[in-house]
């Protein structure tokens, strides 16, 4: 008798049919999740991107450092602004007191002369302290009116002078390290010929007035 090969049956009792072998294209292969495998990033492009980010970060840090240095310098230069203004009030009062003393009375009264000399010494010392800390007086008398440095309080008729000239100073003005601390209160001439502006004088008169 010849042996007969039996085909295994599946769960339904029917024999399984062998499926033909199918060649698989590697490009059609998936990672099992149904998506195509990602291509590896280009190393050169990634290096270029990292270098660009590094350069941008370095530039931002340098700008931050410069800005911080500038702010620190400004703080050191102008930190005494409020204190200096308060000191100027004392200087003004000393000057008013000295101006109220008659010169003849000083000569006739030794005690009054001593008092006046003490006030003058105090005024000089206080102005010296302010000057050593960057405070300087604005020389306004006889200068061309500058709205950045002067505050016009009134006008003076003087046809012999050019218009726009400071003819009287009622309160001295001051700058702190080149920045306006307090404007000079002045009287300005009107009428007369217009003043001749010198370009060189204008360039020398440029002063930082960002903070008042």
């Amino acid at each position: 008798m010849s042996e007969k090969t039996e085909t295994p049956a599946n769960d339904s009792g029917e024999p399984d049919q062998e499926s033909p072998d199918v060649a698989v294209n590697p490009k059609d292969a998936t990672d099992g999740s149904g998506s195509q495998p990602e291509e590896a990033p280009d190393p050169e492009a990634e290096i270029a991107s990292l270098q660009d980010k590094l350069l941008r970060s370095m530039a931002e840090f340098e700008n931050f450092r410069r800005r911080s240095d500038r702010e620190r310098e400004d703080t050191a230069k102008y930190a005494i602004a409020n204190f200096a203004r308060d000191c100027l009030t004392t200087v003004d009062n000393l000057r008013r007191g000295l101006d109220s003393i008659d010169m003849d009375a000083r000569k006739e009264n030794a005690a009054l002369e001593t008092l006046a000399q003490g006030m003058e010494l105090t005024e000089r010392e206080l102005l010296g302290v302010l000057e050593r800390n960057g405070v300087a007086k604005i020389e306004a008398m006889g200068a061309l009116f500058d709205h950045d440095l002067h505050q016009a309080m009134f006008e003076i008729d003087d046809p012999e002078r050019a218009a726009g000239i400071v003819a009287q100073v009622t309160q001295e003005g001051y700058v702190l390290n080149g920045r306006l601390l307090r404007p000079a209160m002045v009287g300005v001439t009107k009428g007369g010929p217009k003043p001749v502006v010198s370009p060189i004088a204008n360039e020398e008169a440029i002063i930082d007035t960002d903070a008042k």
Side-chain angles (χ1 to χ4, degrees), residues 139-186:
E139 298 298 336
M141 191 63 182
L144 180 65
F145 177 78
D146 185 347
H147 64 86
D148 290 330
L149 301 175
H150 310 140
Q151 182 175 345
M153 305 302 294
F154 51 89
E155 290 184 318
I156 300 173
D157 287 318
D158 190 349
E160 296 181 358
R161 287 188 180 186
I165 300 297
V166 175
Q168 185 176 343
V169 179
T170 59
Q171 186 180 69
E172 299 289 353
Y174 293 85
V175 293
L176 173 61
N177 292 315
R179 179 179 292 181
L180 185 65
L181 183 64
R182 188 182 76 180
M185 296 184 180
V186 301

CSV table of all heavy atoms in Angstrom, one decimal, residues 139-186:
chain,number,residue,atom,x,y,z
A,139,GLU,N,27.1,128.8,32.8
A,139,GLU,CA,27.4,130.2,32.6
A,139,GLU,C,26.4,130.8,31.6
A,139,GLU,O,26.6,130.8,30.4
A,139,GLU,CB,28.8,130.4,32.0
A,139,GLU,CG,29.9,129.8,32.9
A,139,GLU,CD,30.0,130.6,34.3
A,139,GLU,OE1,29.6,131.7,34.3
A,139,GLU,OE2,30.5,130.0,35.2
A,140,ALA,N,25.3,131.4,32.2
A,140,ALA,CA,24.2,131.8,31.4
A,140,ALA,C,24.3,133.3,31.0
A,140,ALA,O,23.8,133.7,29.9
A,140,ALA,CB,22.9,131.6,32.1
A,141,MET,N,24.9,134.1,31.8
A,141,MET,CA,24.9,135.6,31.6
A,141,MET,C,25.6,136.0,30.3
A,141,MET,O,26.7,135.6,30.1
A,141,MET,CB,25.5,136.3,32.8
A,141,MET,CG,25.3,137.8,32.8
A,141,MET,SD,23.6,138.2,33.0
A,141,MET,CE,23.7,140.0,32.8
A,142,GLY,N,24.9,136.7,29.4
A,142,GLY,CA,25.4,137.1,28.2
A,142,GLY,C,25.4,136.1,27.1
A,142,GLY,O,25.8,136.3,26.0
A,143,ALA,N,25.0,134.9,27.4
A,143,ALA,CA,24.9,133.8,26.4
A,143,ALA,C,23.6,133.8,25.6
A,143,ALA,O,22.6,134.4,26.0
A,143,ALA,CB,25.1,132.4,27.1
A,144,LEU,N,23.7,133.2,24.4
A,144,LEU,CA,22.5,133.1,23.6
A,144,LEU,C,21.5,132.1,24.3
A,144,LEU,O,21.9,131.1,24.8
A,144,LEU,CB,22.9,132.5,22.2
A,144,LEU,CG,21.7,132.3,21.2
A,144,LEU,CD1,21.1,133.7,20.9
A,144,LEU,CD2,22.3,131.6,20.0
A,145,PHE,N,20.2,132.5,24.3
A,145,PHE,CA,19.3,131.7,25.0
A,145,PHE,C,19.2,130.3,24.4
A,145,PHE,O,19.1,130.1,23.2
A,145,PHE,CB,17.9,132.3,24.9
A,145,PHE,CG,16.8,131.5,25.6
A,145,PHE,CD1,16.7,131.5,27.0
A,145,PHE,CD2,15.9,130.7,24.8
A,145,PHE,CE1,15.7,130.7,27.6
A,145,PHE,CE2,15.0,130.0,25.4
A,145,PHE,CZ,14.8,129.9,26.8
A,146,ASP,N,19.3,129.3,25.3
A,146,ASP,CA,19.2,127.9,24.9
A,146,ASP,C,18.1,127.2,25.7
A,146,ASP,O,18.2,127.1,27.0
A,146,ASP,CB,20.6,127.2,25.2
A,146,ASP,CG,20.7,125.8,24.7
A,146,ASP,OD1,19.6,125.2,24.4
A,146,ASP,OD2,21.8,125.2,24.7
A,147,HIS,N,17.1,126.7,25.0
A,147,HIS,CA,15.9,126.2,25.8
A,147,HIS,C,16.3,124.9,26.5
A,147,HIS,O,15.6,124.4,27.4
A,147,HIS,CB,14.8,125.9,24.8
A,147,HIS,CG,15.1,124.9,23.8
A,147,HIS,ND1,14.9,123.6,24.0
A,147,HIS,CD2,15.5,125.0,22.5
A,147,HIS,CE1,15.3,122.9,22.9
A,147,HIS,NE2,15.6,123.8,22.0
A,148,ASP,N,17.5,124.3,26.1
A,148,ASP,CA,17.9,123.1,26.8
A,148,ASP,C,18.6,123.4,28.2
A,148,ASP,O,18.7,122.5,29.0
A,148,ASP,CB,18.8,122.2,26.0
A,148,ASP,CG,18.1,121.6,24.8
A,148,ASP,OD1,16.9,121.3,24.9
A,148,ASP,OD2,18.8,121.4,23.7
A,149,LEU,N,19.0,124.6,28.3
A,149,LEU,CA,19.8,125.0,29.5
A,149,LEU,C,19.1,126.1,30.3
A,149,LEU,O,19.4,126.2,31.5
A,149,LEU,CB,21.2,125.4,29.1
A,149,LEU,CG,22.1,124.4,28.4
A,149,LEU,CD1,23.4,125.1,28.0
A,149,LEU,CD2,22.3,123.2,29.2
A,150,HIS,N,18.3,126.9,29.6
A,150,HIS,CA,17.8,128.1,30.3
A,150,HIS,C,16.2,128.0,30.3
A,150,HIS,O,15.6,127.4,29.5
A,150,HIS,CB,18.2,129.4,29.5
A,150,HIS,CG,19.6,129.5,29.3
A,150,HIS,ND1,20.1,129.9,28.1
A,150,HIS,CD2,20.7,129.1,30.0
A,150,HIS,CE1,21.5,129.9,28.1
A,150,HIS,NE2,21.8,129.4,29.3
A,151,GLN,N,15.7,128.7,31.3
A,151,GLN,CA,14.2,128.8,31.4
A,151,GLN,C,13.9,130.3,31.5
A,151,GLN,O,14.3,131.0,32.4
A,151,GLN,CB,13.7,128.1,32.7
A,151,GLN,CG,12.2,128.2,32.8
A,151,GLN,CD,11.7,127.4,34.0
A,151,GLN,OE1,12.4,126.6,34.6
A,151,GLN,NE2,10.4,127.7,34.4
A,152,ALA,N,13.3,130.8,30.4
A,152,ALA,CA,13.0,132.2,30.3
A,152,ALA,C,11.8,132.6,31.2
A,152,ALA,O,10.8,132.0,31.1
A,152,ALA,CB,12.6,132.6,28.8
A,153,MET,N,12.1,133.6,32.1
A,153,MET,CA,11.1,134.0,33.0
A,153,MET,C,10.4,135.3,32.6
A,153,MET,O,9.3,135.5,32.9
A,153,MET,CB,11.7,134.2,34.4
A,153,MET,CG,12.5,133.0,34.9
A,153,MET,SD,11.4,131.5,35.1
A,153,MET,CE,10.3,132.0,36.3
A,154,PHE,N,11.1,136.1,31.8
A,154,PHE,CA,10.6,137.4,31.4
A,154,PHE,C,11.5,137.9,30.2
A,154,PHE,O,12.6,137.4,30.0
A,154,PHE,CB,10.5,138.4,32.5
A,154,PHE,CG,11.8,138.6,33.2
A,154,PHE,CD1,12.8,139.5,32.8
A,154,PHE,CD2,12.1,137.8,34.4
A,154,PHE,CE1,14.0,139.7,33.5
A,154,PHE,CE2,13.3,138.0,35.1
A,154,PHE,CZ,14.2,138.9,34.6
A,155,GLU,N,11.0,138.9,29.5
A,155,GLU,CA,11.7,139.6,28.5
A,155,GLU,C,12.2,141.0,28.9
A,155,GLU,O,11.5,141.7,29.6
A,155,GLU,CB,10.9,139.6,27.2
A,155,GLU,CG,10.7,138.2,26.5
A,155,GLU,CD,10.0,138.3,25.2
A,155,GLU,OE1,9.0,139.1,25.1
A,155,GLU,OE2,10.3,137.6,24.3
A,156,ILE,N,13.3,141.4,28.3
A,156,ILE,CA,13.8,142.7,28.6
A,156,ILE,C,14.0,143.5,27.4
A,156,ILE,O,14.6,143.0,26.4
A,156,ILE,CB,15.2,142.6,29.3
A,156,ILE,CG1,15.1,141.8,30.6
A,156,ILE,CG2,15.8,144.0,29.6
A,156,ILE,CD1,16.4,141.5,31.3
A,157,ASP,N,13.4,144.7,27.3
A,157,ASP,CA,13.6,145.6,26.2
A,157,ASP,C,15.0,146.2,26.2
A,157,ASP,O,15.4,146.9,27.1
A,157,ASP,CB,12.6,146.7,26.2
A,157,ASP,CG,11.2,146.2,25.9
A,157,ASP,OD1,11.1,145.4,24.9
A,157,ASP,OD2,10.2,146.6,26.6
A,158,ASP,N,15.8,145.9,25.2
A,158,ASP,CA,17.1,146.4,25.1
A,158,ASP,C,17.5,146.5,23.6
A,158,ASP,O,18.1,145.5,23.1
A,158,ASP,CB,18.1,145.5,25.8
A,158,ASP,CG,19.5,146.2,26.0
A,158,ASP,OD1,19.7,147.2,25.3
A,158,ASP,OD2,20.3,145.6,26.7
A,159,PRO,N,17.2,147.6,22.9
A,159,PRO,CA,17.4,147.7,21.5
A,159,PRO,C,18.9,147.6,21.1
A,159,PRO,O,19.3,147.4,20.0
A,159,PRO,CB,16.8,149.0,21.1
A,159,PRO,CG,16.7,149.8,22.3
A,159,PRO,CD,16.5,148.8,23.4
A,160,GLU,N,19.8,147.9,22.1
A,160,GLU,CA,21.2,147.9,21.8
A,160,GLU,C,21.8,146.5,21.8
A,160,GLU,O,22.9,146.3,21.3
A,160,GLU,CB,21.9,148.7,22.9
A,160,GLU,CG,21.5,150.2,22.9
A,160,GLU,CD,22.3,151.0,24.0
A,160,GLU,OE1,23.1,150.3,24.7
A,160,GLU,OE2,22.1,152.2,24.0
A,161,ARG,N,21.1,145.5,22.3
A,161,ARG,CA,21.5,144.1,22.3
A,161,ARG,C,20.7,143.3,21.3
A,161,ARG,O,19.6,143.6,20.9
A,161,ARG,CB,21.4,143.5,23.6
A,161,ARG,CG,22.4,144.0,24.7
A,161,ARG,CD,22.3,143.1,25.9
A,161,ARG,NE,23.2,143.5,27.0
A,161,ARG,CZ,23.3,142.8,28.1
A,161,ARG,NH1,22.6,141.8,28.3
A,161,ARG,NH2,24.2,143.2,29.0
A,162,ALA,N,21.3,142.3,20.8
A,162,ALA,CA,20.6,141.4,19.9
A,162,ALA,C,19.5,140.6,20.7
A,162,ALA,O,19.6,140.4,21.9
A,162,ALA,CB,21.5,140.3,19.3
A,163,ALA,N,18.4,140.3,20.0
A,163,ALA,CA,17.3,139.6,20.6
A,163,ALA,C,17.8,138.1,21.0
A,163,ALA,O,18.6,137.5,20.3
A,163,ALA,CB,16.1,139.5,19.6
A,164,GLY,N,17.2,137.7,22.1
A,164,GLY,CA,17.5,136.3,22.5
A,164,GLY,C,18.8,136.1,23.3
A,164,GLY,O,19.3,135.0,23.4
A,165,ILE,N,19.3,137.2,23.9
A,165,ILE,CA,20.5,137.2,24.7
A,165,ILE,C,20.1,137.2,26.2
A,165,ILE,O,19.2,137.9,26.6
A,165,ILE,CB,21.4,138.3,24.4
A,165,ILE,CG1,21.9,138.3,23.0
A,165,ILE,CG2,22.6,138.3,25.3
A,165,ILE,CD1,22.6,137.1,22.6
A,166,VAL,N,20.7,136.3,27.0
A,166,VAL,CA,20.4,136.3,28.4
A,166,VAL,C,21.0,137.6,29.0
A,166,VAL,O,22.2,137.8,29.1
A,166,VAL,CB,21.0,135.1,29.1
A,166,VAL,CG1,20.8,135.1,30.6
A,166,VAL,CG2,20.4,133.8,28.5
A,167,ALA,N,20.1,138.5,29.6
A,167,ALA,CA,20.5,139.7,30.1
A,167,ALA,C,20.5,139.8,31.6
A,167,ALA,O,21.0,140.6,32.3
A,167,ALA,CB,19.7,140.9,29.6
A,168,GLN,N,19.8,138.8,32.2
A,168,GLN,CA,19.7,138.7,33.7
A,168,GLN,C,19.4,137.3,34.1
A,168,GLN,O,18.7,136.5,33.5
A,168,GLN,CB,18.5,139.6,34.2
A,168,GLN,CG,18.4,139.7,35.7
A,168,GLN,CD,17.3,140.7,36.1
A,168,GLN,OE1,16.8,141.5,35.3
A,168,GLN,NE2,16.8,140.6,37.3
A,169,VAL,N,20.1,136.9,35.2
A,169,VAL,CA,19.9,135.6,35.8
A,169,VAL,C,19.3,135.7,37.2
A,169,VAL,O,19.9,136.3,38.1
A,169,VAL,CB,21.3,134.9,35.9
A,169,VAL,CG1,21.1,133.5,36.5
A,169,VAL,CG2,21.9,134.7,34.5
A,170,THR,N,18.1,135.1,37.4
A,170,THR,CA,17.5,135.2,38.7
A,170,THR,C,17.8,133.9,39.5
A,170,THR,O,17.7,134.0,40.7
A,170,THR,CB,15.9,135.3,38.5
A,170,THR,OG1,15.5,134.2,37.7
A,170,THR,CG2,15.6,136.6,37.7
A,171,GLN,N,18.2,132.9,38.9
A,171,GLN,CA,18.6,131.7,39.6
A,171,GLN,C,19.6,130.9,38.7
A,171,GLN,O,19.3,130.6,37.6
A,171,GLN,CB,17.4,130.8,39.9
A,171,GLN,CG,17.8,129.6,40.8
A,171,GLN,CD,16.6,128.7,41.2
A,171,GLN,OE1,16.0,128.0,40.3
A,171,GLN,NE2,16.1,128.7,42.4
A,172,GLU,N,20.7,130.5,39.3
A,172,GLU,CA,21.8,129.9,38.6
A,172,GLU,C,21.3,128.4,38.2
A,172,GLU,O,20.6,127.8,39.0
A,172,GLU,CB,23.0,129.8,39.4
A,172,GLU,CG,23.7,131.1,39.8
A,172,GLU,CD,24.3,131.8,38.6
A,172,GLU,OE1,24.4,131.2,37.5
A,172,GLU,OE2,24.7,133.0,38.8
A,173,GLY,N,21.8,128.0,37.1
A,173,GLY,CA,21.5,126.6,36.6
A,173,GLY,C,22.7,125.8,36.7
A,173,GLY,O,23.9,126.3,36.8
A,174,TYR,N,22.5,124.5,36.8
A,174,TYR,CA,23.7,123.5,37.0
A,174,TYR,C,23.5,122.3,36.1
A,174,TYR,O,22.3,121.9,35.8
A,174,TYR,CB,23.8,123.1,38.4
A,174,TYR,CG,24.2,124.3,39.3
A,174,TYR,CD1,23.2,125.1,39.9
A,174,TYR,CD2,25.5,124.5,39.7
A,174,TYR,CE1,23.6,126.2,40.7
A,174,TYR,CE2,25.9,125.5,40.5
A,174,TYR,CZ,24.9,126.4,41.0
A,174,TYR,OH,25.2,127.4,41.8
A,175,VAL,N,24.6,121.6,35.8
A,175,VAL,CA,24.6,120.4,35.1
A,175,VAL,C,25.3,119.3,35.9
A,175,VAL,O,26.2,119.7,36.7
A,175,VAL,CB,25.2,120.4,33.7
A,175,VAL,CG1,24.4,121.3,32.8
A,175,VAL,CG2,26.6,121.0,33.8
A,176,LEU,N,24.9,118.1,35.8
A,176,LEU,CA,25.6,117.0,36.5
A,176,LEU,C,26.2,116.0,35.5
A,176,LEU,O,25.5,115.4,34.8
A,176,LEU,CB,24.6,116.2,37.4
A,176,LEU,CG,25.1,114.9,38.1
A,176,LEU,CD1,26.2,115.3,39.0
A,176,LEU,CD2,23.9,114.3,38.8
A,177,ASN,N,27.5,116.0,35.4
A,177,ASN,CA,28.2,115.2,34.4
A,177,ASN,C,27.7,115.4,33.0
A,177,ASN,O,27.5,114.5,32.3
A,177,ASN,CB,28.2,113.7,34.8
A,177,ASN,CG,28.9,113.4,36.1
A,177,ASN,OD1,30.1,113.9,36.3
A,177,ASN,ND2,28.3,112.7,37.0
A,178,GLY,N,27.5,116.7,32.7
A,178,GLY,CA,27.0,117.0,31.3
A,178,GLY,C,25.5,116.9,31.1
A,178,GLY,O,25.0,117.3,30.1
A,179,ARG,N,24.8,116.4,32.1
A,179,ARG,CA,23.3,116.3,32.0
A,179,ARG,C,22.7,117.3,32.8
A,179,ARG,O,23.1,117.6,34.0
A,179,ARG,CB,22.9,114.9,32.5
A,179,ARG,CG,21.4,114.7,32.4
A,179,ARG,CD,21.0,113.3,32.9
A,179,ARG,NE,21.5,112.3,31.9
A,179,ARG,CZ,21.2,111.0,32.1
A,179,ARG,NH1,20.6,110.5,33.2
A,179,ARG,NH2,21.7,110.1,31.2
A,180,LEU,N,21.6,118.0,32.3
A,180,LEU,CA,21.0,119.1,33.0
A,180,LEU,C,20.4,118.6,34.3
A,180,LEU,O,19.7,117.7,34.4
A,180,LEU,CB,19.8,119.6,32.1
A,180,LEU,CG,19.1,120.9,32.6
A,180,LEU,CD1,20.1,122.1,32.7
A,180,LEU,CD2,17.9,121.2,31.8
A,181,LEU,N,20.8,119.4,35.3
A,181,LEU,CA,20.4,119.1,36.7
A,181,LEU,C,19.3,120.1,37.1
A,181,LEU,O,18.2,119.8,37.7
A,181,LEU,CB,21.5,119.2,37.7
A,181,LEU,CG,21.2,118.9,39.2
A,181,LEU,CD1,20.8,117.5,39.3
A,181,LEU,CD2,22.5,119.2,40.0
A,182,ARG,N,19.5,121.4,36.7
A,182,ARG,CA,18.5,122.5,37.0
A,182,ARG,C,18.7,123.6,36.0
A,182,ARG,O,19.9,124.1,35.8
A,182,ARG,CB,18.6,123.0,38.4
A,182,ARG,CG,17.5,123.9,38.8
A,182,ARG,CD,17.7,124.5,40.2
A,182,ARG,NE,18.8,125.5,40.3
A,182,ARG,CZ,19.1,126.1,41.4
A,182,ARG,NH1,18.5,125.8,42.5
A,182,ARG,NH2,20.1,127.0,41.4
A,183,PRO,N,17.7,124.0,35.2
A,183,PRO,CA,17.9,125.1,34.3
A,183,PRO,C,18.1,126.4,34.9
A,183,PRO,O,17.6,126.6,36.1
A,183,PRO,CB,16.6,125.1,33.4
A,183,PRO,CG,15.6,124.5,34.4
A,183,PRO,CD,16.3,123.5,35.3
A,184,ALA,N,18.9,127.3,34.3
A,184,ALA,CA,19.0,128.7,34.8
A,184,ALA,C,17.8,129.5,34.5
A,184,ALA,O,17.3,129.5,33.3
A,184,ALA,CB,20.3,129.3,34.1
A,185,MET,N,17.3,130.2,35.5
A,185,MET,CA,16.1,131.0,35.3
A,185,MET,C,16.6,132.4,34.9
A,185,MET,O,17.4,133.0,35.6
A,185,MET,CB,15.3,131.1,36.5
A,185,MET,CG,14.7,129.8,36.9
A,185,MET,SD,13.5,129.9,38.3
A,185,MET,CE,13.0,128.1,38.5
A,186,VAL,N,16.2,132.8,33.7
A,186,VAL,CA,16.8,134.0,33.1
A,186,VAL,C,15.8,135.0,32.5
A,186,VAL,O,14.6,134.6,32.3
A,186,VAL,CB,17.8,133.6,32.0
A,186,VAL,CG1,18.9,132.7,32.5
A,186,VAL,CG2,17.1,132.9,30.8
